[in-house]
Amino acid sequence: MSAVLKVGLIGLGEVAQLMHLPLLADDNRFKINAITDVSPSLVDYVATRYGVPTLHGSAEALIADPALDVVFIMTPDHLHAELLEKAIRSGKHVFIEKPACLTAAQLEPLLSLPKRPGQVVFVGYMRRFSRAFTELKKRLPPLEKVRHVRVRDIIREAPFFVAQTRNVFKPKDVPAELIAEGRARTLGMLRSVMGEDCPPDALRAYQVLTGLSSHSFSAMRDLLGAPKGVRYATQHNGETVIALFDYGHFTALYEAVIDDVSRFDAGIEVLTQTQHFKMNYDTPYIRNLPTRLEITSSTDTETGTEVIGPIYEDPFRIELGAFFDSIANGVPAKTNLEDSMEDLKLFAEVGRHFR
């Protein structure tokens, strides 16, 4: 392996501009060596801003570039499966933003693709790398002591926050027919899980699961293991989702609400008989906002709360370090494709309750 990993990025949209490009540029273990996007103006903008030497006209050309060690896939979700297959077959290390694919049927054949020795395929679930989350996992008592879990994503979406904090280049040269084709392909993928006659609000709710909720499902599984099943789930107007996960002697409640109230109330709470663990996530679209873990413990006569934090370290940066460690030091990636498959199975099980 070269001393510095040469990276190629496919897809230069909002998440790439806000998180991955600046983090890679600041990290001397990586070099942004090549980029591609369907928008020529966006490619030119990013190349100028970050001094990128190689501009490819297609994702296929970038994946085939022999100078690259790593491919980052940050395209719209409907392109993930085909690009992921090509990137794995290239033998390069792969970082793909969640979801790895939109459906379990797309991901299943990719699990058996041969990889070269040491090749890393890493799915971006940055919440699982938050210091507050890893501290919660370390301090959590044995699972048999848990009485209840609450997981929540009650948020306003990114544009409100981004407009006030960061300049994102929004290209105007993406062909309208390409956008329409992407929407149609996405709809077809959603219907392959939810059914051809599925109403639009239920399709939208499944898409919320694959996007926003995937962070929480993944973190819940990391913390508690896989649930025995979905006891109940419902959705309202596509952007309110409630699910109850059966863990045998306790239930994990998941709540997602997307609205226009300008706050980001996301986190995990775990209750035992004598302790209450509570951690928060803030919007990732403003870098370095603090996270905290609060642990309230009580006895018959006393109570107190320990606060770990505020912690300002960016989970995306920690995640990038974990990706590097997997490549350079052989540390197994906890957010791999097999792990991501478990989320896709949960999405489908929750989605069945929406019908």
Side-chain angles (χ1 to χ4, degrees), residues 147-150 231 243-253:
R147 290 193 57 188
H148 181 65
V149 174
R150 181 188 177 209
R231 184 175 294 176
L244 295 176
F245 294 100
D246 179 14
Y247 276 90
H249 67 285
F250 70 91
T251 301
L253 165 66

Side-chain angles (χ1 to χ4, degrees), residues 36-235:
T36 190
D37 192 274
V38 295
S39 163
S41 66
L42 180 52
V43 170
D44 290 343
Y45 170 82
V46 170
T48 299
R49 180 161 183 172
Y50 289 96
V52 183
T54 304
L55 316 182
H56 285 294
S58 70
E60 291 75 15
L62 185 145
I63 290 170
D65 187 339
L68 298 179
D69 303 302
V70 181
V71 173
F72 271 62
I73 299 173
M74 290 166 291
T75 60
D77 298 343
H78 70 275
L79 297 173
H80 281 194
E82 60 192 69
L83 294 176
L84 183 56
E85 178 178 359
K86 292 172 183 176
I88 292 172
R89 292 188 185 279
S90 77
K92 296 176 174 63
H93 303 295
V94 183
F95 182 106
I96 184 165
E97 265 296 347
K98 60 79 195 164
C101 297
L102 277 175
T103 75
Q106 290 177 310
L107 184 55
E108 182 66 41
L110 304 185
L111 299 180
S112 58
L113 285 179
K115 301 183 184 69
R116 67 168 176 80
Q119 184 181 10
V120 174
V121 180
F122 191 105
V123 184
Y125 284 106
M126 51 74 183
R127 284 192 190 178
R128 286 169 64 177
F129 297 91
S130 163
R131 297 294 183 209
F133 176 78
T134 55
E135 193 68 22
L136 171 60
K137 188 174 179 182
K138 182 171 70 176
R139 290 170 175 256
L140 201 67
L143 206 60
E144 58 265 24
K145 293 189 175 183
V146 174
R147 290 193 57 188
H148 181 65
V149 174
R150 181 188 177 209
V151 185
R152 68 192 182 281
D153 289 304
I154 302 174
I155 71 158
R156 183 168 187 168
E157 290 197 294
F160 175 85
F161 303 103
V162 174
Q164 299 184 52
T165 56
R166 294 289 300 276
N167 178 40
V168 173
F169 183 89
K170 298 180 179 180
K172 301 185 184 302
D173 55 353
V174 179
E177 58 270 22
L178 190 61
I179 296 172
E181 178 192 353
R183 289 173 177 164
R185 289 186 62 189
T186 299
L187 185 61
M189 293 171 188
L190 301 179
R191 288 195 184 282
S192 74
V193 177
M194 298 293 289
E196 290 298 323
D197 60 344
C198 184
D201 61 337
L203 289 176
R204 171 57 183 154
Y206 180 82
Q207 196 168 22
V208 168
L209 294 178
T210 65
L212 172 66
S213 304
S214 63
H215 284 297
S216 290
F217 285 26
S218 181
M220 180 185 74
R221 288 188 303 99
D222 193 345
L223 192 66
L224 307 171
K228 297 178 182 297
V230 179
R231 184 175 294 176
Y232 171 80
T234 190
Q235 64 83 26

